[in-house]
Amino acid sequence: IKAIQTGFALAQETDADVIGIGEMGIGNTTTSSAVLSVLLEADVEAVTGRGGGITDQSYLRKKQVIKDAIAINQPNKTDVIDVLAKVGGFDIAAMCGAFLGCAEKRCPVVIDGFISAVAALCAYKLCPEAVGYFIPSHASYEIGYKLAMDAMGLQPLFLLGMRLGEGSGCPLAFEVLSAACSIINDMATFDQAGIDDGYLNEIRQGDKFSVEGAK
């Protein structure tokens, strides 16, 4: 709970138009996979990837460690804080709080990579309405990433085949968001720019006929 509160406070204190949440660490794809497996009631095999790169033997051991951790600690799938405490970590908990802190102050927040996505899912489970402020950057190569996105009804902006988190996709997402805001705020309409769009009438008529034909 303290870790969640810490992340929440950091997000609240950050003066920015948009915030990106990434992580740095080794081994936290293991805890993230464990959290994801419990929250989505998904098989460990379906949510666990190779992380930073490991041998086949280490990969098998990683999945067994997750299975053992869940079996031994028996996290309550309906209680996000219980899941984080038993098979997660302070990093995921703090990031979860940061997502909630951004949503509370109506600040867009960028999801970056697999661990960030799992933290966002935890925030979503605690407060579903917060997802309206979540913007995924790149799709992680980790196999559990898509399951987390699907659970929140989100689509990543980029498909770059990246395994990396650490905020690496945030600068790219920031530029797209900046461009989107510029279009909304600064781009002229056809009327404002004095553009004759009469040439579109035939297309519009065609669309109308297609719709009527479908009916």
Side-chain angles (χ1 to χ4, degrees), residues 16-20 102-103 106-110 132-135 174 177:
D17 294 326
V18 59
I19 294 174
C102 287
R106 301 173 66 85
C107 175
V109 56
V110 174
Y133 296 92
F134 299 173
I135 303 168
F174 292 163
L177 294 176

Side-chain angles (χ1 to χ4, degrees), residues 158-171:
F158 310 112
L159 301 173
L160 303 175
M162 293 172 62
R163 292 183 182 272
L164 192 64
E166 301 182 2
S168 54
C170 292

Side-chain angles (χ1 to χ4, degrees), residues 3-208:
I4 292 173
Q5 291 173 333
T6 298
F8 187 95
L10 287 170
Q12 294 273 299
E13 295 163 6
T14 301
D15 183 18
D17 294 326
V18 59
I19 294 174
I21 298 180
E23 100 305 327
M24 293 185 70
I26 294 297
N28 46 8
T29 59
T30 302
T31 48
S32 296
S33 296
V35 170
L36 186 60
S37 175
V38 175
L39 291 181
L40 297 186
E41 299 182 72
D43 190 84
V44 171
E45 302 283 345
V47 300
T48 308
R50 291 179 179 266
I54 51 179
T55 64
D56 290 345
Q57 184 178 358
S58 295
Y59 185 36
L60 291 173
R61 182 169 181 270
K62 176 181 182 178
K63 289 184 282 189
Q64 190 59 53
V65 164
I66 294 171
K67 292 174 184 177
D68 291 345
I70 294 172
I72 292 169
N73 292 287
Q74 292 292 303
N76 180 356
K77 65 186 179 184
T78 64
D79 184 342
V80 172
I81 295 174
D82 187 66
V83 175
L84 285 170
K86 289 180 176 177
V87 295
F90 290 132
D91 52 349
I92 304 173
M95 293 163 72
C96 168
F99 279 110
L100 293 172
C102 287
E104 195 279 334
K105 69 175 187 175
R106 301 173 66 85
C107 175
V109 56
V110 174
I111 300 170
D112 184 77
F114 178 56
I115 295 141
S116 181
V118 172
L121 178 65
C122 290
Y124 168 74
K125 291 286 187 177
L126 288 171
C127 180
E129 293 84 359
V131 75
Y133 296 92
F134 299 173
I135 303 168
S137 57
H138 67 91
S140 172
Y141 199 75
E142 287 291 295
I143 60 175
Y145 178 87
K146 186 178 185 304
L147 294 177
M149 289 294 106
D150 289 346
M152 293 184 283
L154 297 176
Q155 291 280 351
L157 295 176
F158 310 112
L159 301 173
L160 303 175
M162 293 172 62
R163 292 183 182 272
L164 192 64
E166 301 182 2
S168 54
C170 292
L172 298 174
F174 292 163
E175 292 302 316
V176 171
L177 294 176
S178 177
C181 289
S182 293
I183 290 171
I184 293 171
N185 294 322
D186 303 324
M187 185 174 178
T189 65
F190 275 17
D191 286 342
Q192 292 169 334
I195 297 174
D196 180 5
D197 64 351
Y199 69 93
L200 294 174
N201 289 337
E202 185 177 350
I203 297 174
R204 291 169 179 149
Q205 286 296 318
D207 289 343
K208 179 182 178 182

